[in-house]
Amino acid sequence: MNVISAQGTMVLAEQDRNARLESLNGLLKSLYDQQEIVQEVIIDGVNYRDQYNNYLLENLMDIQSVEIKSVQEAVLMQSIAEDLKEYLPKLIRGCDSIPELLYGEMKEEDWGYFGQLMEGTNWVGQSALALRTYGDKRLGAEPIHASVVQFVDGLEKHVEELGAAMEQQDYTSAADLIKYEMSESFKHLLAQLEAETTS
């Protein structure tokens, strides 16, 4: 087995199962210690973005080649921030228009739009959480860290309230929450991200 990574190539062909496992674990720890985030693992030509651990463990002695593609954590976080800046205006527009549907009789198509809005909200929440975790590791050294922490905490509360309103079929409260509170949270995060870029 050959293992290619940002640290070069390791040849594990002569090693037994335990030695291969130890070498792979050592390599992954070393990448982590150097703030390299694994984005993709290519095993015998097949790409895995997740679930590669189980496959590696089950086929450790049969695999011929493993390529670990990683990216510096700081570069990945910058990319996430850029993606957020690009996506947030679309989500904000959705927060302004989709709640209008909740005020009336919802059709099947309308529920589809609402579902897309929730998927977008979820993605923004996960992205902001990644930025927050990165900032936590750097002890809040990132200029935007406090704003991201505030956003993540606020969004969690909003999503909880939205879930409760939807469960009670209180669509007016749900619409108001999206249109006024969640929309403002997204606008504030966008303003902070843009301010950091220009500073």
Side-chain angles (χ1 to χ4, degrees):
M1 176 196 296
N2 293 335
V3 182
I4 302 160
S5 72
Q7 297 187 342
T9 302
M10 276 191 327
V11 180
L12 307 179
E14 303 299 317
Q15 294 185 351
D16 67 14
R17 180 178 171 75
N18 286 341
R20 285 184 183 195
L21 195 55
E22 202 173 296
S23 295
L24 275 172
N25 284 336
L27 172 63
L28 290 170
K29 183 188 181 317
S30 177
L31 288 169
Y32 177 80
D33 289 345
Q34 292 176 7
Q35 284 91 43
E36 287 281 328
I37 303 293
V38 175
Q39 286 196 299
E40 185 178 31
V41 177
I42 303 167
I43 303 170
D44 289 337
V46 179
N47 295 24
Y48 294 84
R49 288 209 169 262
D50 48 29
Q51 306 298 322
Y52 51 83
N53 275 336
N54 289 343
Y55 187 83
L56 277 170
L57 288 172
E58 290 168 15
N59 302 284
L60 199 55
M61 298 308 290
D62 300 321
I63 294 169
Q64 299 299 309
S65 73
V66 177
E67 185 178 352
I68 300 172
K69 294 192 178 254
S70 60
V71 64
Q72 270 288 306
E73 190 173 25
V75 172
L76 180 60
M77 292 305 121
Q78 186 58 46
S79 173
I80 287 173
E82 291 300 320
D83 288 347
L84 277 170
K85 278 191 284 192
E86 195 176 301
Y87 184 72
L88 277 166
K90 296 173 192 160
L91 190 62
I92 291 163
R93 283 194 299 277
C95 284
D96 289 341
S97 61
I98 291 171
E100 296 297 329
L101 303 172
L102 285 167
Y103 293 128
E105 191 66 39
M106 292 283 282
K107 300 182 193 75
E108 193 173 325
E109 186 182 12
D110 299 338
W111 285 113
Y113 293 133
F114 178 76
Q116 289 174 357
L117 182 68
M118 291 302 97
E119 281 175 28
T121 298
N122 185 43
W123 179 83
V124 167
Q126 289 176 339
S127 300
L129 190 57
L131 291 175
R132 176 184 181 162
T133 303
Y134 176 66
D136 288 347
K137 282 199 278 188
R138 295 174 45 83
L139 305 175
E142 300 298 308
I144 196 170
H145 185 66
S147 296
V148 171
V149 169
Q150 184 182 357
F151 171 79
V152 170
D153 291 345
L155 186 62
E156 284 173 1
K157 191 176 118 236
H158 291 325
V159 168
E160 206 173 285
E161 291 170 1
L162 181 62
M166 294 302 288
E167 207 171 288
Q168 295 165 7
Q169 297 187 350
D170 183 356
Y171 300 140
T172 301
S173 293
D176 288 347
L177 181 70
I178 295 167
K179 193 170 182 72
Y180 302 111
E181 294 183 45
M182 291 174 71
S183 180
E184 280 309 306
S185 293
F186 295 137
K187 286 174 186 171
H188 182 70
L189 179 62
L190 180 59
Q192 295 299 312
L193 287 165
E194 288 176 336
E196 179 169 322
T197 309
T198 55
S199 62

